[in-house]
Amino acid sequence: MTAVAQMPVGPVPRHQPWTFDGVVRLTRIGTTYIIFTIVIGFAALNTGNNALYIGLTFMLGCLLLSGIASKGGLKHLDVGLSEVTEAWAGLPAEATLTIRNRSRIWNVRDVVVTAGDLAEPVLIPLLIRRGTITIPAPFVFQRRGRVELKRLDLYTRYPFGFFLKKRRVRIGSEVIVYPRLLPEDSARQRFRLAEGELSTANLAGAGTEIHSFRDYVRGDSMRQVYWKKSASTGRWIIKQTEVDAAHTVHVVVDPYRPRGVSDDAFEEMVSAAATFVYHALRRGLDVVLAMPRTTFRARDYDGAQAMFHALALLEPSHEVVHQQIDRNTVLLTCRLEAQS
């Protein structure tokens, strides 16, 4: 059975209009304040009024203090990112930001943390000097695979709102993002072969009649080793027996991508495989996932992390890879799409 599914497009973090490249940018309040300061300066020069000179000095001092305070506040912030929890493409993944203010002078207010994969900017109302704060930070990754989190951007208008200051913080963190999960309705019909009535289902499981043979997978019982065939081949061979109630599904993922098949089509196939495995485990089924040169077996969701990790890092192959296909195997491939 060949399965090709559609991959829904998840929400993409929108570009915030107030973000910018650089270090500092004038706000509307700051622009108005500077224009008013220039007007006061011309008036003081033309009239020689001491009160205007005092007012001009005060306004210039506020500009200077604003620049020093905002720069000093951001400079002394240390940012740490905890390990991101289980991450699926297109779904929120929780992480924790730890921010410490090392300054002995400045209490920094209204710090906004942004990053390309953050679901939304994180606002920190107050960072007390010599204090530490821990806040949740939801990430949304749009593509599966290995993602490196390299930087975070910190913005603040502290203390007077004249300038929007920015500081780019380097971090070093890596996340393995699992494939995108398709809607449950698209995968529900595929379980009919695996959820048959209580009768012989021609599927591997605990029984008396031999169903087929396969290579040993970590987690298999040694009682299922077929010693005679193992001795002749030089590697452990597991005998699979018929199961009275269909409780095991065998999934084979073929990474071969023929010419003319797009990257999006390959990603849809990987998403279909991950979705099938995910819902099969949630329904209490045992899953055997076969890919070239590796096979995984899981009896519950907690034991399937290695499966999803392998699917997350699966790369397309441009050469045909032969894999063993048993009866009622769920085969996921891009070949049929290439022929259509």
Side-chain angles (χ1 to χ4, degrees), residues 57 77 107 246:
T57 303
L77 296 183
N107 293 331

Side-chain angles (χ1 to χ4, degrees), residues 111-145:
V111 177
V112 179
V113 183
T114 67
D117 293 311
L118 267 176
E120 56 186 11
V122 178
L123 173 63
I124 305 172
L126 176 63
L127 280 167
I128 302 175
R129 59 182 179 270
R130 308 298 296 274
T132 302
I133 187 172
T134 301
I135 54 175
F139 284 82
V140 177
F141 304 98
Q142 299 305 316
R143 303 285 289 184
R144 69 177 177 91

Side-chain angles (χ1 to χ4, degrees), residues 210-216 220-241:
I210 294 179
H211 170 268
S212 61
F213 299 96
R214 62 173 174 82
D215 289 338
Y216 173 82
D220 287 332
S221 173
M222 297 302 294
R223 289 178 295 182
Q224 295 297 112
V225 175
Y226 192 66
W227 297 106
K228 184 176 180 180
K229 196 173 186 66
S230 298
S232 61
T233 59
R235 65 181 188 276
W236 285 353
I237 300 298
I238 299 296
K239 60 180 179 181
Q240 295 181 291
T241 55

Side-chain angles (χ1 to χ4, degrees), residues 35-114:
I35 293 174
F36 188 64
T37 301
I38 294 174
V39 172
I40 295 297
F42 276 112
L45 290 174
N46 290 332
T47 63
N49 190 308
N50 291 333
L52 291 178
Y53 278 114
I54 294 174
L56 177 63
T57 303
F58 176 78
M59 296 179 73
L60 291 175
C62 289
L63 282 176
L64 180 62
L65 178 62
S66 176
I68 295 175
S70 59
K71 179 179 179 181
L74 290 180
K75 179 181 178 181
H76 293 92
L77 296 183
D78 293 334
V79 182
L81 178 66
S82 69
E83 184 177 354
V84 180
T85 58
E86 182 179 273
W88 293 87
L91 297 178
E94 290 296 330
T96 301
L97 282 176
T98 302
I99 303 179
R100 179 173 179 264
N101 185 4
R102 295 183 288 104
S103 176
R104 299 182 180 181
I105 303 174
W106 308 109
N107 293 331
V108 187
R109 296 179 181 273
D110 299 332
V111 177
V112 179
V113 183
T114 67

